């Protein structure tokens, strides 16, 4: 549990969402950027995400939740790889690369929107928090599943400063929970148990 929480939820999902939204606050004044011409690597990223979201939808329909979770983590991992490979922190240093930086961030935001929808059946509170950061919780409330996955944020709209979605599960937290669990699993058993019998004639009076 500790490993999954720290590596998947915090390290992959939480890290990607937080770094994308914070970077937008620092380099785009917290506004949704415009998208310029897509490169081959951009197209491949979008195709990869689309393929995974289709499999996730199919998994939910057939109640294969374990595989759905695995695919969601693959979406988060692919998004982190795309962010790292395109290095928007370097693009931000050169004015001539401004449009390219905004395109990269635009596609990362698109991935964040998809992740917020894909995790809702499993992590509804986290999904709601992400949608609040993006300001789309009311917009998508009545939208269908396919409409939400294809939703595109309008350029120029301001986003909220994000807060971390997950906290690291420390060893001390695990130790505390293990102590609580041990107390539950080892209850104090009374030395003598009193037993009261009930005649069958009384038992049959019960409804």
């Amino acid at each position: 549990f500790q490993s999954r929480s720290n590596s998947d939820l915090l390290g992959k999902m939480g890290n990607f969402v937080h770094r994308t939204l914070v970077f937008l606050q620092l380099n785009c004044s917290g506004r949704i950027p415009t998208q310029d011409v897509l490169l081959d690597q951009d197209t491949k990223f979008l195709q990869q995400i689309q393929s995974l979201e289709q499999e996730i939808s199919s998994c939910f329909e057939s109640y294969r939740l374990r595989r759905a979770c695995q695919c969601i983590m693959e979406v988060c991992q692919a998004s982190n790889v795309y962010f790292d490979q395109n290095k928007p922190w370097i693009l931000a240093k050169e004015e001539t690369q401004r449009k390219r930086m905004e395109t990269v961030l635009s596609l990362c935001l698109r991935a964040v929107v998809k992740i917020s929808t894909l995790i809702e059946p499993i992590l509804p509170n986290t999904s709601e928090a992400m949608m609040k950061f993006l300001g789309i919780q009311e917009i998508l409330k009545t939208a269908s599943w396919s409409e939400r996955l294809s939703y595109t944020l309008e350029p120029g709209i301001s986003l909220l400063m994000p807060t971390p979605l997950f906290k690291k599960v420390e060893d001390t937290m695990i130790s505390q929970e293990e102590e609580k669990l041990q107390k539950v699993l080892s209850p104090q058993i009374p030395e003598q148990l009193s037993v009261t019998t009930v005649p069958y004639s009384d038992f049959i009076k019960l409804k």
Side-chain angles (χ1 to χ4, degrees):
F1 172 80
Q2 182 183 24
S3 175
R4 288 292 187 180
S5 294
N6 291 340
S7 65
D8 289 353
L9 296 182
L10 177 63
K12 294 180 183 178
M13 183 188 301
N15 178 56
F16 171 68
V17 173
H18 195 73
R19 71 196 300 204
T20 297
L21 297 182
V22 169
F23 195 91
L24 279 164
Q25 292 289 336
L26 298 177
N27 296 276
C28 298
S29 302
R31 295 184 178 276
I32 300 171
T34 57
Q35 180 179 301
D36 198 22
V37 178
L38 299 183
L39 304 181
D40 289 342
Q41 59 194 17
D42 303 326
T43 304
K44 289 180 181 179
F45 172 60
L46 293 177
Q47 290 174 343
Q48 182 181 11
I49 298 300
Q50 184 177 10
S51 176
L52 285 168
E53 73 181 46
Q54 290 174 350
E55 183 174 357
I56 293 167
S57 298
S58 176
C59 287
F60 281 139
E61 291 176 356
S62 56
Y63 305 103
R64 292 181 291 140
L65 300 185
R66 181 184 295 273
R67 179 55 185 162
C69 289
Q70 292 173 344
C71 290
I72 290 172
M73 286 301 107
E74 289 182 28
V75 171
C76 297
Q77 179 64 18
S79 300
N80 275 304
V81 170
Y82 175 80
F83 191 99
D84 290 336
Q85 287 180 341
N86 286 277
K87 299 178 174 60
W89 60 92
I90 294 180
L91 299 174
K93 296 178 181 179
E94 300 183 25
E95 188 60 34
T96 57
Q97 296 294 326
R98 179 75 186 182
K99 288 187 177 180
R100 178 59 192 161
M101 181 199 72
E102 291 184 350
T103 297
V104 170
L105 293 176
S106 177
L107 297 191
C108 287
L109 265 180
R110 189 183 301 188
V112 172
V113 173
K114 291 181 182 294
I115 293 170
S116 71
T117 294
L118 293 171
I119 66 171
E120 187 182 27
I122 301 173
L123 299 169
N125 292 338
T126 304
S127 172
E128 183 179 6
M130 290 174 61
M131 291 183 182
K132 285 183 178 179
F133 296 156
L134 302 170
I136 58 176
Q137 71 274 21
E138 294 299 327
I139 297 175
L140 299 187
K141 184 175 294 185
T142 58
S144 66
W145 178 262
S146 59
E147 289 173 340
R148 296 172 69 174
L149 286 175
S150 61
Y151 183 79
T152 303
L153 295 168
E154 292 292 334
I157 296 178
S158 297
L159 303 173
L160 296 178
M161 174 63 78
T163 55
L165 294 172
F166 305 101
K167 294 181 180 180
K168 184 178 180 180
V169 180
E170 303 287 355
D171 292 342
T172 53
M173 298 170 61
I174 296 297
S175 298
Q176 292 172 358
E177 292 301 323
E178 287 177 339
E179 291 177 2
K180 294 178 183 179
L181 180 62
Q182 190 61 37
K183 291 180 181 179
V184 174
L185 297 178
S186 303
Q188 296 297 321
I189 302 175
E191 293 182 1
Q192 294 182 349
L193 296 177
S194 59
V195 179
T196 303
T197 59
V198 179
Y200 183 71
S201 58
D202 291 339
F203 176 75
I204 62 175
K205 296 177 183 179
L206 298 175
K207 295 183 181 180

